[in-house]
Amino acid sequence: MQRRTGFRFRRVLLAASLAAGLAACGAPGGDGGQAANPSAVPDKPSKPVDLNILDVAGNLQLTKQMIENFKAAHPEVLSKVTYSTAPAPSMAGKLKAEQDGGVAQTHLVLSGTDGLSAGIANGTLAKVLPDFAGRFPNLMQNYLEPAAKMQELANGYGVEVVYYPSGPLLEFNPSAVAQAPASPQELLDWAKAHPEKFQYAQPSNSGPGRTFLMGLPYLLGDKDPKDPDKGWDKTWAFLQELGKYVKYYPSGTTETMKNLASGSVDMITSTTGWDINPRKLGTVPNTVKTAIMQPMHWVTDAQYALIPKGLSPDQESAILQLIAWMLKPDQQAIAYDDGYFYPGPAVKDVTLQMAPQKSQDTIKQFGRPEYEQWIAQYPKETSLPAEQQVKAFDKWNQLVGGSKVGKK
């Protein structure tokens, strides 16, 4: 399976920002996103149901086996599962069109923070928590602490199913980079000495790009790392100076990986998953190395199960049981996958030794022992809320990207 490319994150978040007032009022639908009647949803469906699952985050690479395991174990709940994928920006419009037409053809959405934000904004998601908190005993206590903080960002409109402490990391060719930069200043000095050999993709469309962007305020000691408009003076000045030595900003992460592999650049931004999985796929050679800058702060990321409005009580019942199953430790271990969202599990006490042998072999060959130490050692910060990411992306486009966006 190919490593997914970044989606048009900024367009989704911009739509979310523009529609935020609408969502706050509970329109469309008039119920603020609440499930129509949570008390009417049975513990078990009256008969097995068919589910259409839409993945807008590449999440099935991590969770499809969990879903198939549930279907096999509970034929009395699920009779058939159909999977489809789509770019994240199309999700909210698709759900709204279905619901306006009175037919909910999409029953479960697997999404990152992008689709989550857009679905909240246009009122197409049912509120899962606290309405159905009883279906997920000790949910917040069972999450890893940083994963619990990412769950809070869902505001009850989704249930987190996978998590990772994304980055920021630097990934480099060790034959061309004698000493990895250990601070932003050292990175800037290296870029000056090696013009056009450092690169990162547009933050609005790249996990490593936006993780780098959101991580810099911590690395640089900016006034307010959660306020890109008024609290990132050092970050914007740094990126403008760094940009003098960047040839262009690709539209997605995959292009930066290919450029690293070809030697057209010698250093790029990365994350744990974007380091491990492309080496497993052969996109980049296994000889590349990664490094962190100090003072290191992880910027965390997560993906969620979302329930659209307009489902039958039996459908909601089946989905709630499925999500609870996906959070079981033995199923969470499947999220180690091929390092795509490394580590991947969102709940506590899920070790690599619990993962399928294929995952264990992949991590043994392509993982890095230092990741476990770094994840334990350094603080973890949640991603910016949607509205703040919109501001950050807009400002990056104005101050940094300019004419270099996507142009070789």
Side-chain angles (χ1 to χ4, degrees):
M1 178 177 291
Q2 291 297 309
R3 183 68 153 94
R4 73 181 174 100
T5 57
F7 292 131
R8 297 292 176 184
F9 197 78
R10 179 181 173 277
R11 285 170 51 199
V12 176
L13 292 175
L14 184 56
S17 180
L18 293 172
L22 180 65
C25 297
D31 61 2
Q34 301 290 331
N37 185 4
S39 63
V41 178
D43 290 338
K44 296 182 178 180
S46 60
K47 61 181 180 180
V49 303
D50 294 353
L51 288 185
N52 296 327
I53 298 178
L54 174 65
D55 176 17
V56 299
N59 180 269
L60 285 172
Q61 182 165 329
L62 307 170
T63 62
K64 185 175 181 179
Q65 190 59 53
M66 303 178 196
I67 298 167
E68 290 296 314
N69 289 349
F70 179 79
K71 180 174 176 288
H74 293 282
E76 78 283 4
V77 177
L78 287 187
S79 56
K80 181 181 179 181
V81 180
T82 302
Y83 302 99
S84 60
T85 60
S90 69
M91 184 208 87
K94 174 178 171 60
L95 296 185
K96 188 174 188 305
E98 291 178 11
Q99 292 165 20
D100 287 350
V103 180
Q105 297 173 327
T106 302
H107 307 135
L108 175 64
V109 179
L110 303 172
S111 173
T113 54
D114 44 9
L116 169 69
S117 300
I120 292 173
N122 77 345
T124 53
L125 301 179
K127 196 83 177 277
V128 182
L129 301 169
D131 303 56
F132 297 105
R135 311 292 178 106
F136 308 102
N138 301 313
L139 178 68
M140 298 303 288
Q141 294 88 339
N142 290 339
Y143 278 133
L144 296 163
E145 182 180 352
K149 293 180 179 178
M150 289 300 293
Q151 173 60 34
E152 290 173 358
L153 289 183
N155 199 28
Y157 287 91
V159 178
E160 180 181 359
V161 290
V162 292
Y163 151 84
Y164 86 130
S166 180
L169 303 177
L170 297 175
E171 188 166 336
F172 61 94
N173 176 0
S175 65
V177 181
Q179 181 75 32
S183 69
Q185 184 59 53
E186 289 186 16
L187 172 61
L188 180 59
D189 292 343
W190 187 91
K192 286 180 179 179
H194 306 84
E196 300 185 354
K197 287 295 186 177
F198 172 75
Q199 187 176 71
Y200 63 99
Q202 299 168 42
S204 62
N205 202 39
S206 165
R210 63 178 172 267
T211 301
F212 178 59
L213 179 65
M214 290 187 284
L216 277 173
Y218 298 98
L219 289 165
L220 293 167
D222 245 324
K223 182 171 63 176
D224 186 352
K226 296 296 187 184
D227 185 355
D229 187 31
K230 298 179 180 178
W232 286 17
D233 290 350
K234 294 178 181 179
T235 295
W236 298 124
F238 174 84
L239 288 173
Q240 286 178 306
E241 182 65 20
L242 182 66
K244 296 176 181 178
Y245 313 102
V246 175
K247 184 177 181 180
Y248 77 104
Y249 302 100
S251 60
T253 312
T254 297
E255 187 173 345
T256 68
M257 293 287 163
K258 291 179 178 178
N259 289 342
L260 180 64
S262 70
S264 59
V265 299
D266 294 324
M267 192 185 313
I268 60 174
T269 59
S270 193
T271 64
T272 58
W274 271 104
D275 164 45
I276 296 171
N277 193 249
R279 286 189 288 118
K280 160 68 175 177
L281 295 175
T283 307
V284 296
N286 198 24
T287 53
V288 300
K289 301 294 184 183
T290 58
I292 54 175
M293 294 181 286
Q294 298 293 354
M296 175 65 178
H297 286 240
W298 293 100
V299 177
T300 60
D301 198 4
Q303 294 177 353
Y304 305 84
L306 314 177
I307 302 178
K309 288 183 182 178
L311 306 189
S312 72
D314 275 355
Q315 288 170 329
E316 289 197 4
S317 173
I319 291 167
L320 292 169
Q321 287 188 67
L322 171 60
I323 296 172
W325 169 277
M326 294 167 71
L327 293 175
K328 293 173 59 179
D330 62 336
Q331 299 304 306
Q332 283 280 296
I334 296 170
Y336 278 99
D337 185 58
D338 284 335
Y340 165 64
F341 215 68
Y342 183 82
V347 305
K348 297 174 181 175
D349 303 323
V350 181
T351 65
L352 180 60
Q353 289 68 36
M354 298 167 62
Q357 189 62 48
K358 179 175 179 287
S359 296
Q360 296 186 43
D361 293 344
T362 295
I363 302 306
K364 181 178 181 180
Q365 183 176 0
F366 297 100
R368 300 190 191 275
E370 59 266 32
Y371 283 167
E372 188 173 350
Q373 175 188 341
W374 292 348
I375 290 170
Q377 181 177 358
Y378 296 112
K380 301 164 190 69
E381 315 293 345
T382 56
S383 300
L384 290 176
E387 295 81 2
Q388 295 302 317
Q389 288 198 35
V390 171
K391 292 179 182 179
F393 298 156
D394 280 345
K395 202 153 187 174
W396 183 88
N397 288 333
Q398 295 166 11
L399 299 179
V400 182
S403 61
K404 293 184 178 182
V405 169
K407 295 183 178 181
K408 300 182 181 181

